[in-house]
Amino acid sequence: MLDLSHGTVAGLYRYPVKGLSAEALPGTTLSPGQTVPCDRRYAIENGSIGFDPERPRHFPKLHFLMLMRHERLATLQTRFDDETDELSIVYNSREAARGNLETAQGRAAIEDFFAENFTRELRGPPKILSGPNHSFSDAPNKVVSIVNLASVAAVEEVLGAPLDPMRLRANVYVQGWPAWCERGAAGCEFMIGETRLRIERDIVRCAAVNVDLVTAERNLDVPATMQRTLGHQHCGVYAEVIAGGDITPGDPVRIVSGS
C-alpha cells in the first residue's frame, strides 16, 4: 500500500485561459469525469487549427499561446469573472484589456490586445477558442492535476535553487505526503474530503517550469536537471474524479486503494 497518509490540501487553483495566470480558489466542487470547473475553459489559438466549437477535440499545446514557448505571458496578470464571463488583463501595472469571452465584441478586445503586444510570438491572428464542456488541458482526457510539495522540495535540492511550486501550474497542491510517493501510482485511489479520485499517470515536466512567474525570465533548467540527476522528469500526477464532492484547502487527503 502506498504511503499517502497524513496529506492535506495546501492550495487549490484554476487556469481559466490556457497559458495565462492562476486563480486561487477558496474551495470548489469536483464532478465525476470532469476537470476543476472553468479550468482551461478557453485557449488562445496561435495560427488556424480548424477548431470546431460544436465538436471540440483535443489539440496539442503547441497550437496555442503557452508558457513552454511564450514566456512573456508570465508578465500578464489575468482575472476571469464567472458571473460576467469577463477576462481582465493587467500589463505593465495597468489594466490593458477587458472583454466578455462569450461575446464576439469581448473576444475581439482580448484578441486585439495579443495581436498588438505579442506580435513576435504569433503565427497568425490570435483567436479565443472555447467549446461546450471542453477543457484545453495538456491531457486529452478530463483530469485534475495534483502536485506533492515534498516532491517539489526534492527537485529544489537537485537544482540547488528555490522552485516556486506555482511554476508547475497544478490544480491541487498537497502537503504531508512523502517525496515521490505519488510516482508510478497509476490506479491508486484516494480521497480529498469526500471526493474520490484515481491516479491516471505521472506528469512529465516541460520547459514551462523554467519560466519565472514574476520576471518572465527562463532562469532555471528544471527538466534537464531532473533527467540528469534523478533519471526522470516527472513531478505531479493527473487524476480522474470518480466520485464528486466539495473540496477546500485543509481537507485531508488519504489513500483508499493502491498497491
Side-chain angles (χ1 to χ4, degrees):
M1 184 72 71
L2 292 173
D3 181 10
L4 299 184
S5 59
H6 308 300
T8 58
V9 175
L12 295 173
Y13 297 87
R14 70 176 189 179
Y15 305 80
V17 182
K18 185 178 185 67
L20 301 186
S21 58
E23 293 186 359
L25 299 171
T28 192
T29 301
L30 299 181
S31 299
Q34 298 297 317
T35 64
V36 168
C38 201
D39 191 56
R40 278 82 171 186
R41 176 176 166 183
Y42 302 95
I44 306 167
E45 183 184 54
N46 189 11
S48 179
I49 59 175
F51 180 81
D52 183 352
E54 299 303 318
R55 297 177 178 81
R57 64 182 179 90
H58 178 263
F59 282 87
K61 61 187 173 184
L62 294 176
H63 293 290
F64 310 106
L65 288 180
M66 43 86 183
L67 278 173
M68 188 181 83
R69 288 193 173 177
H70 312 124
E71 64 272 14
R72 286 203 307 136
L73 293 174
T75 63
L76 308 179
Q77 293 299 312
T78 59
R79 180 62 55 185
F80 182 76
D81 187 314
D82 294 81
E83 294 185 2
T84 65
D85 292 319
E86 280 193 337
L87 179 74
S88 62
I89 301 176
V90 173
Y91 182 48
N92 291 333
S93 301
R94 65 176 184 86
E95 184 174 278
R98 177 182 290 269
N100 183 331
L101 298 187
E102 293 300 310
T103 69
Q105 182 179 8
R107 290 185 185 219
I110 301 301
E111 292 162 356
D112 288 348
F113 167 81
F114 283 99
E116 293 169 7
N117 295 283
F118 284 77
T119 304
R120 70 172 183 259
E121 286 88 354
L122 292 170
R123 299 193 300 263
K127 184 178 181 181
I128 302 291
L129 301 181
S130 67
N133 197 32
H134 184 69
S135 174
F136 292 92
S137 168
D138 290 349
N141 55 325
K142 292 181 178 178
V143 289
V144 175
S145 59
I146 299 170
V147 161
N148 177 0
L149 290 175
S151 298
V152 177
V155 176
E156 287 183 317
E157 289 186 15
V158 300
L159 286 172
L163 177 61
D164 181 357
M166 293 303 297
R167 293 194 189 204
L168 282 73
R169 297 177 66 78
N171 297 127
V172 181
Y173 290 89
V174 176
Q175 61 186 7
W177 281 356
W180 305 124
C181 69
E182 73 283 8
R183 270 202 74 215
C188 172
E189 295 184 7
F190 62 97
M191 306 287 290
I192 301 178
E194 298 305 315
T195 303
R196 189 174 182 128
L197 302 96
R198 180 176 55 238
I199 295 176
E200 295 294 308
R201 59 191 178 279
D202 295 345
I203 300 175
V204 180
R205 290 298 158 185
C206 70
V209 75
N210 294 335
V211 178
D212 189 303
L213 298 180
V214 176
T215 66
E217 297 174 328
R218 293 186 183 273
N219 56 9
L220 292 175
D221 193 7
V222 179
T225 301
M226 290 181 67
Q227 188 64 48
R228 185 176 66 254
T229 59
L230 301 173
H232 66 85
Q233 298 177 29
H234 300 167
C235 193
V237 292
Y238 288 125
E240 180 183 358
V241 181
I242 56 178
D246 298 334
I247 63 173
T248 60
D251 278 350
V253 184
R254 60 192 188 279
I255 184 82
V256 292
S257 72
S259 58

